[in-house]
Amino acid sequence: MIKEGHFGSAEAFCLMLVMLTTRVFYSSPLALIKDLGTAAWYGTLLSCAVSLIFFGLLYLLMKRFPNQDLYQVYETVTGKIISKLLILIFSFYFLYYAAINVREFTAILKAYSMPYTPVSILIFVFLLVVIAMTYVGLEGIVRVSYIFFYFIMCGLAMLLLLAIPAYDFNNLYPLFGYGLKETIKIGVLRSSAYDEIVILAIIINSIYGLKTFKRVGFYSLILAGLIISVTLACILAAFEYTAASEQLSGLFQLSRIIYYSRFFQRIEAIFLFIWVFASVITVSMAFYLAVSSYCRAFKIKNHRPLLFPFAALAFMVAFIPRNIGEVFEIHVHFLRQDSFSIMYLIPLLVLIFALILGKKGGKAIE
Amino acid sequence: MKKKQNTFSKIMALITYKKTNRPQTFVLPEMDEGQNDNGQKDSGEKQANKPKPEEQPQAGEKKKRKFPRKPLSASQVKSNRTDSDEVKNNIDSNLQVMKEQFDVPKNKDLILREFTLGGNRRAFLVYLDGMADKFIINNFILRPLFNEESLDSTQSGKSANILLENIVETNDAKKLISIKKVITEILKGNTALYLDGLDYILTCESMGYDKRAVEAPKTEAIVKGPQEAFSENLRTNVSLIRRIIRNKDLVTEFFEIGEKSNTTCAVIYLQDVINPAILTEVRRRLTTIKTDFLVSAGMLEQFIEDNPLSIIPTILSTERPDRTASHIFEGRVAIIMDGTPFSLIVPVTLNAMMHSPEDASLKWQYTTGLRLIRFCAFAIATLLPAFYIALTTFHREMIPTDFLIAIAKAKENVPFPTIVEVLLMELGFELIREAGVRIPGIIGNTLGIIGALILGEAAVAANIVSPILIIVVAATGLSNFAIPNYSLAFGVRISRFYFIIAGATLGFYGLALALMAYILMLVNLKSFGIPFMSILAPKNKRSRDAIIRWPVWMQESRPDFLNPLERDRQPEISRGWSQQDPNK
Amino acid sequence: MNRSSKIILIIILIFCLPLSGCYDAADVDEEVYAMAIGIDKGVDNAVRVTFQYPTYKDSPSSGGMKGGGGGQTETGEVDGTLVSTVEAPSLLEGVQMLNAAGNRQISLTHAKMLVFSEEFAREGVGKDVETVARYREARETMRVIVCKGKAQDFIMENKSLIGSNLAKGIELSFVQSQNTGYFPDVFFANFYSNMLTPYGQPYAIYAGVNDFQHLPENTQQDNQSPAPIEKDIQPGETPRKGGSKEELFGTAIFDGEKMVGSLTQNETRFFLLGIGKFKWGSFTTGDKNKPGYAYVLDVITARKPQVSAHFENGVPVIDLKVDLDADIAAIQSRIDYEKVENIKELESYTKDCFQEGMKKTIERTQKEYNCDIFHFGKKIAGNFKTIQELENYNWLKHYQEAKINVDVTVNIRRNGFFFGTRPFFSTRSGNQKEGNNQ
C-alpha cells in the first residue's frame, strides 16, 4: 500500500470544504438556478441534508468496521473479486471526475479570460501541476489545500461582500421557485453534488479514525451547504433568476459588476486566482484517488509510475465532450446530478450486504 | 539496425519507468494530535529512547547517492590504516609513525623535538609550528619535564600518572592511544608528548595562533541589541554563545569533518530542551559526511541540507551569537565550523528566515509591523514583475482605464514587448548588484545606487523601457533587499524569473498554477525533518512569534513543531509584579 | 547520458512553453481602448457604430484648441481621442471593419458608455444588447445612455474639457447622478437583467447634445425677475452656455427592448426617490407665504423606501413609503421657518410637494407608458408562490391597474449655518424688496 501519511482534522476539514465548494466557481449555480429558479438557494440545502443522511449511513458502515477504510470494508464484505471491481469503479469515476472538472474549468476559463489559447494547452499545463501535486502524495495535497483554503475562503467572502451594493434580496421571490415538487426532486437528485464526502471514508486511516471522520464529515458538509447556499442567494439577489440562468459562471459575473469608484472596480483577478487554486486542489485530490484506488485494486506499492499514464487518460477523457454544451448538459450534469448512484449507492449496498450477511469488522491491527 | 535498436532502447529508457531506490527521508516522529497538548514531554522522551527504524539501515546512503565516492587516495589509506593506529610502546616506532604521517623531512611545519629525561629516558615532543603557542611549550611543558628528576626508564608504570598529573603544567592534557586522534590534536595546535615505554601519547593543550578579534556584525547589523559577531575562531565562538547561555545543560559536541582538512565542527544545543531525534539526525548527517576538504559553513550547509534541489535555503546561517543563542533556547541545534564566522541553525522554518535579529529587542507592535512589511516585500520581490507582465499582456481589462492609457502612451515609442523590457531591466539590475559587490569599498555602494538611477533614466530616455517598468523593477529590487536572510534573498531572486516566465506565458492562469507548484514545493521542504512551512501547514499549535509577534512575556511556549522536551519557556503569569498590589 | 539528456529535455520543454502559450498575449499599446460605443440606425445596413478611443500621442491636440469644440471632423480627432463611425451588419463586425481600417485592434474592455440614439432605441435595442452581454470584452459596468439625435454626434461632443483625462471625465460625469438626481446611473448589467426580468422594466440615462441655443436673450425691458419654478426640461435644452455640450438629463423608459418614453429631470428625481437611489439634491420650492420667493432644501434619503404589495380583489395594491431628511439651504423670504412652531408647516408643505410629485411620476409611468421602472414587481412577486404563476400573471401587463399609495415623510433636520432668520434691514424696512441673495 502507498504510504499516505497522517494529517489532522483541521487539514481534512479544509480539504473537504474546498472540494465541496469548488463547484460554485463553475457552472453549478447556473444549473441550479436554471432548474430551481428562486428556490435554488435552499434547494442546495436540501441536497446537503440528503447528503447528511447518506453520510450518516456511511458512518454506520464505517463504524461497523473500525480501523478499516472503505476499500478494506468492501473487501471484507464482498470478497476479493467483487471488491476489486468496486474499487476500480471508484478509480475510474474519480478519473472521470477529475477530467470533466478540468474540462469544465478550461471551458469557462476560455470563455472569460483566454479565448484564443487552445484547450489542449490549458489542460496540459493544468495537468502538469496536478501531476506534481499527486507525485508528492496525499500529504502534499492536504497541506497545500490547508494553506490555500484561507485564500479561497477569504477571496470568496471578499467577492460576496464587495458585491453587496448590487444585491436586492427581493429577487428571491417568489419563494417556491418552479414549485416545491420540482425543488424537492432536483434537491434530492443533486445530493450527488455533495458526494465528494465519501472520499473521507477512503482516506479514513490518514485522519485518525472514526471520530475525526464523523466530525469532519458533518461539519464540512453543513458548512459547504451554507457557503453554496449563501453564494447562490447572492447571485440571485444580484442578477435575478432570469439573468442568472443565462450566465456561465454567476460568481465570475458577480466579480465583474463590482464597482465602487473609477479606480476600484473589476476585481476578476481575485476570482481568477482563487478559482484556479480551488480547481487544482479538487482535481489533484480526485486524480490522486483515481491513481491510488487503482493501486489499491492491484496492490501496487508505488503510485508514482502510474501518474503519467493516468494523466494521459485524463487528458483524453477531458476531450470526450465535443463542445461546451456536451460538457454541461451531459458530463457535468452526470457528476452533479447522477453520480450518487456510484458514490452513495455502492457503499449503501455494501452496508445492506454487511447487515444481511452479518459481517462485522473485528478489531483491526493497531 | 543495431544502432537503431540502440537509440530506440535509449528513447524507451527515457520514457519508461525505472525503479529508483529512494532513501528514506528523515521525518520527525509525529505525535498524536490529541496528545499534542498535554503529552508533549512524555512523548518527547519516549522518542528519545525509541530507536528510529528509518535511520539506521540507510545511514549515509543519501549522501553517497548525491556525491559518489571516489576511491580513497593514498594519504587517506595511510591515515586510516588500522595496524598503525595504535600507539606502540617503544619510542622508535612511534617516532617513525609520526614522521611517516607528517612527511617529516619534507614538511617544515612540524617540529619534532627529541630529548632525554632523567638521564636515560628518551622522549619526543611534536607540534605544528605556528599553530602552537611556543611560550606554553617552553614554560609549561618542557621546563617542568627537564626539571623533573624522577623520570628515568625504571619507573614506567608510575611515571604515567605523575607525568599527567604533576609535571605537565598545561590546563588540558589527554592520554590518547590512537595515532589518528593524536594527529588530529596536533593539527589543532596541541602538543603531543611521548615518553619511551608508555603505550599512549599525551597531548597537551598549547593552541595559540593568530586570530581576529570579536567585531561588530557586518551583514546583520542592527540598531538595538548586542553588537558582536562570530569570528573565525571556534573556541571564541563557542564562548560567545556560552556567555549568553550560562547553563550547565548547554552541550558542545565536536566533530571532525574533512578527511584532509580535518575541520572541527561544534554542535551546540541545550540538552534538556532539544528533541533528541533532531540531535541524532544532526549527528548522523555530520558523521557520515565523507569529503576531503571543508572550509566554510556554506560548504557544510550544502552537505547536510535536506533537499539540494530546493531554491529556498533550509538552513539558517547567522553571524550573531545572540541570535544563535535564542535559537538554541528554542530547541534548535547550532553548528559552528572552525574558520567560519557563521553558525548554522537547524531545523528552521520559513518564518525564522524572515525574522531579523532585532525583532525580539523591539516592542511587539513595531516588530509586527516590520514583519508584515517583510512578508509584503517577499511577495513583491517574487511576484511583482510577473504580475505586471500578466496584467499588461493578458488582463488589460483589469487595469484602471486612466492608468492603462498612461502605460500605453509611455510604451508607444518603446520597440520591445513587455517581457523583453522586464527581462532587460531585471538583467541590468542584477548586473549592477553583482558589480557593486566587486567594486571596492565605498565606490561600490555608490555605484549601485547611481548606476541604477542613471541606467533607468537613460533607458527611459532612449525609449528602451517604459518608465512604469523602472518603478516595478526598482520596487522589486528594493523589496529583495528587505528580506533579512541573504540566502533566502538569492532564492527569491531566482524564483522571480520562474514566475515571470509563468506570467508571460499564460497570464494569471499561469501565475496561479506556478504559485501552486511553488507552494507545493515549499510545503514539502523539510529542514531536518521539520516541514519548512510549519507556521502554516501542517497545522500545529499557533506560534506566538511567527508573523505577528506577541509581547515577549506572552510567548509562553517554544515552537510546537520542534517538539522540544521542555515545551514551556515561562509560566502563564511571567510578570509576577502584575498580579501584586503595588501599594501594600 | 541519462541525466544530461533529462536535463536537456526539461530545458527544451521550458523554452517551448512560452512558444506554446502567448496566444492571448498582446501588449498594451497594440490595442486601443474604446471608451464610448455609439449605436445608430443604419442607412444601408443594420447599424451604424461609433467608437471613441484615446490616441497615444504625447501631447493631445486639445492643448491648442481647448474649449474651441470642433476638432478635426475629417479624421474624427476629438480632444486627444479619435471618433470613428462605421456602418456594419452588426456591432462586432463594425469593430472588425474599423480594425482593418485603423492600425490597432479596438478593444471594448474599457468601454465606459453605450449610447443608443433615441430613434434606434425606439425600434428595439435587443439585438445589440445581446451581443454586448454575451461577448467577453464589453464590461458590465459601462453605462447605458439613450440620446436625442444621433449617437455619433453625441460622442463627438464627448470631451474632457476640464482635464486631459477623458476616462476620468466620463466616469465622473456619471457620479453627478448622485449629486443631482437629474438622471439615473444605469449599469449595463442592470439594464440587461432588467430586460429579462418579469419584476420590472429597464430604464436608461436620457441624454442630449446642447447647441447652446436655449438660453433665451432678454428682449423685454421688464425688470421684474420671474418667480422660481421647477421647470421640466428635455435633455439638450437646458438654458445654458459654455462647458461641455453633452448633457445627461432625465430617464429613458423601455418596455422590454423598446424605448417607449422618457421622464424629465424632475420626474427622474422622484423616480430615484422612489427606488431609493437618490443620494442628495437641492429642491427649490416657491414660498407659499411670499410669492416670488422660494426656499431651497437639501434633500437626502433618510432610509431605503419601504415598499409593500398585496392584492385586493385581484387588484394589486402597492404602498410606497419614502422617508426623507432635509436641510434648509436657503429661505429667500427670510421668514423664520426654523422655529419649532413653524417647521411643521414647512415640513407638511414640502411633504405635499414630494408626495404629489411622486404620485404624478408614478401615474405617468402607469398611464402613459405602463412601464414598471420602479420594480414594484419584486414585491408583487412575494404574493406568488411559484415562478410559473408569476410569469403567467405577467405583472408588467397589469402594472397600469395597480393602485399605488405614496406616503412621504419629510423631516427638516438642520438649518445650515443659521439658527434663526432675521429680515434684511434697509431704509424701506418692513417692506423690503432686496431678497435676491443665494
Side-chain angles (χ1 to χ4, degrees):
Chain A
M1 209 184 104
I2 312 161
K3 196 168 159 263
E4 296 199 307
H6 287 264
F7 43 90
S9 53
E11 278 124 323
F13 176 76
C14 294
L15 176 72
M16 284 326 295
L17 207 54
V18 170
M19 280 204 83
L20 287 169
T21 51
T22 305
R23 65 207 154 81
V24 296
F25 299 112
Y26 295 157
S27 61
S28 174
L30 166 70
L32 261 174
I33 292 171
K34 212 180 231 167
D35 286 344
L36 301 182
T38 47
W41 63 276
Y42 61 86
T44 197
L45 285 180
L46 193 73
S47 319
C48 184
V50 175
S51 285
L52 275 175
I53 296 171
F54 277 116
F55 180 72
L57 292 171
L58 189 65
Y59 173 67
L60 285 183
L61 178 67
M62 301 315 287
K63 209 171 126 189
R64 229 176 136 77
F65 301 91
N67 291 324
Q68 291 191 6
D69 63 26
L70 191 63
Y71 292 164
Q72 286 165 335
V73 172
Y74 286 173
E75 200 172 325
T76 321
V77 177
T78 61
K80 274 218 163 114
I81 294 161
I82 297 176
S83 79
K84 253 193 185 94
L85 204 68
L86 292 180
I87 296 173
L88 276 182
I89 289 176
F90 266 62
S91 167
F92 292 140
Y93 172 73
F94 282 126
L95 188 69
Y96 177 74
Y97 178 97
I100 293 303
N101 259 298
V102 178
R103 181 62 196 272
E104 190 187 7
F105 169 81
T106 42
I108 298 175
L109 180 76
K110 227 171 127 55
Y112 280 117
S113 180
M114 323 208 73
Y116 305 116
T117 313
V119 187
S120 52
I121 285 178
L122 294 178
I123 295 183
F124 178 75
V125 182
F126 192 94
L127 283 179
L128 274 188
V129 178
V130 169
I131 288 171
M133 296 268 283
T134 5
Y135 180 85
V136 171
L138 186 58
E139 232 172 341
I141 299 173
V142 166
R143 280 186 198 159
V144 169
S145 74
Y146 183 67
I147 288 178
F148 280 106
F149 171 79
Y150 294 101
F151 286 95
I152 294 168
M153 288 304 149
C154 290
L156 185 60
M158 212 165 116
L159 271 184
L160 295 182
L161 289 178
L162 284 174
I164 280 180
Y167 297 155
D168 181 353
F169 284 96
N170 285 321
N171 294 344
L172 297 184
Y173 293 114
L175 263 184
F176 293 102
Y178 288 111
L180 209 54
K181 213 177 106 192
E182 187 71 12
T183 309
I184 291 173
K185 190 185 125 206
I186 300 284
V188 171
L189 278 179
R190 278 193 80 91
S191 62
S192 309
Y194 290 90
D195 60 12
E196 287 93 344
I197 202 72
V198 176
I199 290 170
L200 265 186
I202 300 171
I203 58 170
I204 191 165
N205 282 334
S206 293
I207 55 168
Y208 300 102
L210 262 182
K211 220 172 129 191
T212 333
F213 169 72
K214 189 173 101 177
R215 205 173 52 201
V216 170
F218 272 108
Y219 283 129
S220 56
L221 263 182
I222 290 170
L223 209 65
L226 285 177
I227 289 172
I228 292 172
S229 167
V230 167
T231 313
L232 279 170
C234 289
I235 293 173
L236 276 173
F239 297 113
E240 308 174 1
Y241 73 94
T242 42
S245 57
E246 287 186 355
Q247 291 154 352
L248 216 52
S249 161
L251 211 55
F252 191 89
Q253 215 77 14
L254 202 62
S255 73
R256 276 169 76 102
I257 62 160
I258 289 172
Y259 183 97
Y260 277 89
S261 66
R262 78 203 144 75
F263 198 83
F264 193 76
Q265 49 173 311
R266 304 270 308 221
I267 50 157
E268 295 129 279
I270 299 179
F271 180 85
L272 211 70
F273 274 96
I274 60 172
W275 183 42
V276 174
F277 295 158
S279 308
V280 170
I281 290 168
T282 308
V283 173
S284 305
M285 189 63 202
F287 188 72
Y288 173 80
L289 284 170
V291 178
S292 74
S293 303
Y294 188 83
C295 290
R296 288 285 292 275
F298 296 111
K299 298 215 162 38
I300 300 168
K301 282 213 175 59
N302 188 356
H303 74 288
R304 286 172 180 173
L306 287 174
L307 287 178
F308 278 104
F310 264 72
L313 268 180
F315 193 77
M316 284 181 229
V317 174
F319 278 101
I320 290 176
R322 278 187 307 122
N323 51 34
I324 198 163
E326 278 186 20
V327 176
F328 290 150
E329 282 180 19
I330 301 172
H331 298 278
V332 174
H333 188 268
F334 171 75
L335 283 189
R336 308 259 157 80
Q337 206 143 313
D338 307 322
S339 66
F340 71 99
S341 49
I342 293 175
M343 295 293 275
Y344 285 145
L345 291 190
I346 289 179
L348 195 66
L349 285 177
V350 170
L351 175 67
I352 292 169
F353 262 109
L355 286 174
I356 293 170
L357 300 174
K359 279 198 179 159
K360 223 172 170 178
K363 286 207 175 65
I365 322 99
E366 262 300 319
Chain B
M1 180 64 203
K2 188 154 190 231
K3 201 186 169 196
K4 207 173 177 183
Q5 205 175 18
N6 200 11
T7 8
F8 177 73
S9 62
K10 268 180 188 166
I11 291 168
M12 283 311 285
L14 271 181
I15 56 171
T16 49
Y17 174 72
K18 279 187 293 297
K19 201 173 177 195
T20 46
N21 212 350
R22 201 165 287 278
Q24 293 284 338
T25 48
F26 169 67
V27 186
L28 194 70
E30 270 186 65
M31 294 158 198
D32 233 52
E33 252 217 337
Q35 239 181 315
N36 243 0
D37 291 322
N38 38 27
Q40 195 77 26
K41 203 170 167 180
D42 311 336
S43 44
E45 271 161 7
K46 208 161 67 195
Q47 281 167 18
N49 305 329
K50 195 168 63 183
K52 261 146 239 83
E54 295 163 9
E55 293 167 15
Q56 263 87 17
Q58 276 103 356
E61 193 172 332
K62 186 170 181 178
K63 292 288 162 319
K64 224 191 292 184
R65 204 170 64 86
K66 299 284 176 210
F67 306 96
R69 269 195 62 182
K70 301 233 163 59
L72 286 173
S73 67
S75 70
Q76 275 168 322
V77 175
K78 198 161 67 182
S79 64
N80 282 345
R81 219 159 47 200
T82 43
D83 59 325
S84 68
D85 199 39
E86 295 253 317
V87 176
K88 307 285 179 308
N89 59 0
N90 71 73
I91 188 159
D92 286 325
S93 51
N94 280 333
L95 206 58
Q96 188 56 36
V97 168
M98 282 295 158
K99 281 181 179 166
E100 220 170 71
Q101 291 284 346
F102 283 100
D103 261 348
V104 157
K106 234 192 280 168
N107 192 349
K108 299 291 177 299
D109 269 358
L110 194 85
I111 309 291
L112 221 161
R113 167 84 153 83
E114 277 182 80
F115 49 90
T116 326
L117 289 174
N120 57 357
R121 188 156 195 162
R122 289 174 69 203
F124 71 84
L125 185 134
V126 188
Y127 65 93
L128 275 175
D129 197 14
M131 295 288 286
D133 189 347
K134 284 182 183 145
F135 184 76
I136 297 178
I137 298 173
N138 289 345
N139 290 331
F140 305 111
I141 302 173
L142 285 178
R143 185 166 298 165
L145 281 173
F146 286 123
N147 289 344
E148 186 62 48
E149 297 294 324
S150 61
L151 280 172
D152 49 34
S153 53
T154 50
Q155 306 165 292
S156 62
K158 199 184 161 199
S159 65
N161 294 329
I162 299 169
L163 190 66
L164 182 65
E165 287 161 12
N166 300 337
I167 304 171
V168 174
E169 293 177 3
T170 57
N171 50 21
D172 186 16
K174 287 182 209 136
K175 292 187 224 170
L176 296 174
I177 49 165
S178 151
I179 291 284
K180 208 178 159 195
K181 281 183 182 162
V182 170
I183 287 169
T184 317
E185 290 291 315
I186 294 170
L187 289 173
K188 278 185 199 164
N190 293 335
T191 307
L193 179 65
Y194 181 74
L195 266 72
D196 195 12
L198 298 185
D199 54 353
Y200 61 89
I201 288 179
L202 187 78
T203 59
C204 317
E205 195 194 291
S206 62
M207 270 186 269
Y209 38 83
D210 296 330
K211 59 192 180 198
R212 192 162 64 99
V214 174
E215 287 170 12
K218 293 218 171 57
T219 58
E220 289 172 279
I222 60 168
V223 180
K224 266 179 103 178
Q227 303 287 351
E228 50 182 24
F230 286 131
S231 70
E232 283 78 8
N233 185 281
L234 179 63
R235 272 288 162 205
T236 320
N237 291 348
V238 174
S239 70
L240 283 174
I241 292 173
R242 207 169 260 286
R243 255 192 13 230
I244 299 169
I245 309 178
R246 297 198 174 135
N247 191 317
K248 64 177 171 51
D249 289 318
L250 183 76
V251 177
T252 311
E253 284 179 28
F254 276 13
F255 294 88
E256 309 290 334
I257 300 170
E259 297 189 354
K260 285 186 182 164
S261 65
N262 276 317
T263 317
T264 313
C265 178
V267 170
I268 311 175
Y269 55 91
L270 264 179
Q271 200 165 22
D272 58 342
V273 171
I274 181 106
N275 187 328
I278 295 175
L279 198 59
T280 326
E281 177 66 13
V282 171
R283 282 197 202 114
R284 183 174 78 89
R285 289 197 191 175
L286 285 178
T287 47
T288 48
I289 294 174
K290 294 270 189 304
T291 179
D292 58 345
F293 173 68
L294 208 58
V295 78
S296 71
M299 285 170 78
L300 180 65
E301 189 180 332
Q302 296 174 50
F303 272 106
I304 58 173
E305 69 186 340
D306 288 62
N307 190 351
L309 286 177
S310 155
I311 273 177
I312 302 290
T314 48
I315 293 173
L316 176 71
S317 86
T318 173
E319 56 166 340
R320 299 185 61 92
D322 56 329
R323 195 171 185 199
T324 312
S326 73
H327 281 295
I328 292 174
F329 260 125
E330 283 193 336
R332 293 188 175 93
V333 179
I335 304 167
I336 305 182
M337 254 183 80
D338 196 15
T340 311
F342 285 97
S343 70
L344 300 179
I345 291 162
V346 292
V348 285
T349 51
L350 178 66
N351 56 321
M353 298 262 178
M354 295 298 286
H355 291 179
S356 146
E358 201 168 18
D359 283 3
S361 331
L362 292 176
K363 273 171 76 63
W364 64 275
Q365 298 95 328
Y366 314 160
T367 306
T368 306
L370 286 178
R371 281 193 188 163
L372 289 178
I373 285 177
R374 268 182 235 140
F375 275 98
C376 286
F378 188 92
I380 291 174
T382 38
L383 292 174
L384 186 68
F387 198 80
Y388 174 77
I389 290 185
L391 205 59
T392 50
T393 51
F394 285 88
H395 308 278
R396 290 172 301 280
E397 70 271 17
M398 287 174 206
I399 310 173
T401 315
D402 2 14
F403 189 46
L404 178 76
I405 288 163
I407 295 176
K409 274 184 184 166
K411 216 175 161 326
E412 179 64 20
N413 290 324
V414 177
F416 303 118
T418 315
I419 171 78
V420 176
E421 275 183 87
V422 170
L423 289 178
L424 268 180
M425 268 327 278
E426 286 287 346
L427 193 71
F429 202 82
E430 298 292 323
L431 259 179
I432 289 169
R433 186 157 30 185
E434 185 59 17
V437 177
R438 299 277 173 285
I439 294 165
I442 293 173
I443 318 167
N445 295 332
T446 335
L447 184 102
I449 301 161
I450 304 285
L453 279 176
I454 292 175
L455 199 73
E457 191 89 339
V460 170
N463 280 329
I464 292 175
V465 292
S466 41
I468 175 126
L469 203 85
I470 302 281
I471 300 172
V472 169
V473 173
T476 315
L478 212 58
S479 303
N480 212 104
F481 281 118
I483 296 170
N485 189 290
Y486 186 70
S487 317
L488 186 64
F490 263 112
V492 165
R493 271 158 79 179
I494 294 174
S495 315
R496 187 186 307 150
F497 288 95
Y498 158 75
F499 285 116
I500 287 177
I501 291 173
T505 312
L506 283 169
F508 281 169
Y509 175 58
L511 201 53
L513 287 180
L515 197 63
M516 287 219 78
Y518 196 72
I519 298 269
L520 180 75
M521 188 263 301
L522 281 185
V523 292
N524 282 296
L525 267 190
K526 285 206 173 94
S527 171
F528 283 77
I530 305 286
F532 187 63
M533 294 286 278
S534 279
I535 27 163
L536 292 173
K539 186 181 182 291
N540 48 50
K541 197 167 179 296
R542 285 276 163 262
S543 164
R544 289 184 166 181
D545 188 25
I547 296 171
I548 295 171
R549 192 183 71 95
W550 293 47
V552 174
W553 49 269
M554 282 170 90
Q555 295 175 21
E556 261 95 40
S557 53
R558 299 196 156 80
D560 183 33
F561 47 82
L562 289 173
N563 287 329
L565 292 184
E566 203 177 292
R567 208 169 138 267
D568 295 333
R569 310 173 64 143
Q570 56 200 20
E572 197 76 8
I573 297 158
S574 48
R575 299 176 308 157
W577 55 270
S578 64
Q579 302 294 309
Q580 292 164 353
D581 185 352
N583 300 321
K584 262 181 194 159
Chain C
M1 161 62 197
N2 193 12
R3 199 192 185 106
S4 59
S5 62
K6 256 186 207 166
I7 291 168
I8 290 168
L9 208 70
I10 288 170
I11 291 173
I12 290 173
L13 266 179
I14 287 172
F15 279 97
C16 281
L17 218 58
L19 298 179
S20 62
C22 299
Y23 283 91
D24 288 296
D27 260 318
V28 176
D29 50 347
E30 286 171 15
E31 287 186 340
V32 285
Y33 305 93
M35 303 230 169
I37 307 171
I39 298 176
D40 281 311
K41 223 169 111 176
V43 178
D44 282 338
N45 213 334
V47 283
R48 182 171 287 199
V49 198
T50 308
F51 295 103
Q52 181 182 30
Y53 46 85
T55 56
Y56 298 150
K57 288 187 179 162
D58 278 341
S59 52
S61 52
S62 69
M65 46 188 191
K66 187 165 278 179
Q72 287 151 318
T73 39
E74 187 84 345
T75 52
E77 271 181 72
V78 179
D79 199 23
T81 62
L82 274 182
V83 178
S84 31
T85 306
V86 67
E87 201 164 276
S90 70
L91 193 147
L92 289 181
E93 205 160 341
V95 176
Q96 308 243 297
M97 285 162 86
L98 284 180
N99 286 346
N103 53 12
R104 317 267 170 120
Q105 157 99 21
I106 295 176
S107 158
L108 305 183
T109 47
H110 281 267
K112 306 254 173 248
M113 56 187 195
L114 178 65
V115 185
F116 295 108
S117 70
E118 183 169 347
E119 196 189 359
F120 183 81
R122 284 192 187 269
E123 280 185 10
V125 295
K127 282 182 274 179
D128 290 285
V129 164
E130 135 79 24
T131 318
V132 176
R134 192 187 283 274
Y135 191 53
R136 67 180 172 271
E137 271 191 4
R139 44 168 67 184
E140 270 75 2
T141 51
M142 65 181 173
R143 304 328 202 276
V144 184
I145 295 175
V146 174
C147 75
K148 291 185 101 170
K150 282 197 316 195
Q152 189 185 347
D153 298 339
F154 182 80
I155 291 176
M156 281 302 271
E157 290 307 326
N158 184 28
K159 328 172 182 169
S160 171
L161 294 177
I162 295 168
S164 58
N165 189 341
L166 182 69
K168 185 175 172 181
I170 297 180
E171 296 253 8
L172 284 179
S173 71
F174 295 117
V175 176
Q176 301 318 314
S177 164
Q178 294 174 11
N179 296 341
T180 60
Y182 285 145
F183 61 93
D185 194 4
V186 184
F187 287 114
F188 179 79
N190 296 347
F191 183 75
Y192 178 68
S193 65
N194 287 348
M195 279 172 67
L196 298 176
T197 172
Y199 298 135
Q201 297 279 28
Y203 53 91
I205 305 169
Y206 201 32
V209 179
N210 198 329
D211 52 4
F212 297 155
Q213 299 300 314
H214 298 279
L215 190 62
E217 294 299 322
N218 195 356
T219 47
Q220 297 160 318
Q221 287 305 306
D222 189 4
N223 277 340
Q224 181 87 18
S225 59
I229 41 162
E230 293 273 6
K231 248 185 169 171
D232 282 340
I233 302 168
Q234 288 295 314
E237 289 170 15
T238 355
R240 68 184 177 99
K241 224 166 204 166
S244 169
K245 282 190 174 176
E246 56 171 356
E247 225 167 58
L248 308 175
F249 231 57
T251 313
I253 298 175
F254 284 76
D255 180 0
E257 56 152 348
K258 289 197 170 85
M259 177 175 168
V260 290
S262 62
L263 294 181
T264 62
Q265 95 278 20
N266 284 323
E267 286 166 332
T268 302
R269 286 179 149 192
F270 293 122
F271 162 57
L272 290 180
L273 278 171
I275 59 171
K277 294 235 173 104
F278 186 84
K279 199 175 166 204
W280 76 276
S282 30
F283 284 79
T284 312
T285 321
D287 198 332
K288 216 166 48 176
N289 296 325
K290 209 166 181 187
Y293 287 79
Y295 55 86
V296 183
L297 292 178
D298 249 6
V299 177
I300 54 169
T301 336
R303 83 170 74 116
K304 269 202 151 259
Q306 304 294 305
V307 186
S308 60
H310 60 276
F311 280 91
E312 260 177 32
N313 307 325
V315 179
V317 179
I318 289 157
D319 297 307
L320 172 65
K321 268 188 197 150
V322 179
D323 203 347
L324 301 176
D325 275 1
D327 292 1
I328 298 174
I331 306 171
Q332 295 172 349
S333 59
R334 307 292 290 179
I335 295 171
D336 202 356
Y337 281 123
E338 302 100 313
K339 283 217 164 140
V340 178
E341 57 260 35
N342 296 342
I343 206 148
K344 279 269 168 340
E345 190 195 332
L346 192 65
E347 276 177 356
S348 77
Y349 180 62
T350 321
K351 179 190 152 169
D352 289 345
C353 284
F354 276 99
Q355 207 150 313
E356 202 188 335
M358 291 195 68
K359 263 193 178 150
K360 267 192 184 152
T361 310
I362 292 172
E363 217 171 84
R364 190 155 174 228
T365 62
Q366 275 187 299
K367 298 278 142 29
E368 204 170 315
Y369 308 126
N370 189 18
C371 279
D372 178 20
I373 53 172
F374 287 84
H375 290 232
F376 291 129
K378 287 182 181 171
K379 286 291 172 187
I380 290 288
N383 292 298
F384 293 94
K385 281 200 182 62
T386 63
I387 294 175
Q388 290 94 323
E389 286 174 39
L390 177 76
E391 286 179 353
N392 287 338
Y393 173 73
N394 194 355
W395 155 251
L396 301 183
K397 204 166 82 191
H398 291 86
Y399 175 56
Q400 53 190 351
E401 303 155 13
K403 187 172 173 302
I404 298 168
N405 306 315
V406 185
D407 181 18
V408 182
T409 321
V410 179
N411 284 305
I412 295 175
R413 305 274 186 193
R414 283 155 293 263
N415 315 319
F417 284 173
F418 295 167
F419 185 73
T421 312
R422 291 176 62 84
F424 298 120
F425 209 78
S426 71
T427 48
R428 288 158 292 148
S429 216
N431 195 15
Q432 71 275 62
K433 265 271 185 265
E434 269 106 318
N436 230 357
N437 53 348
Q438 175 72 5

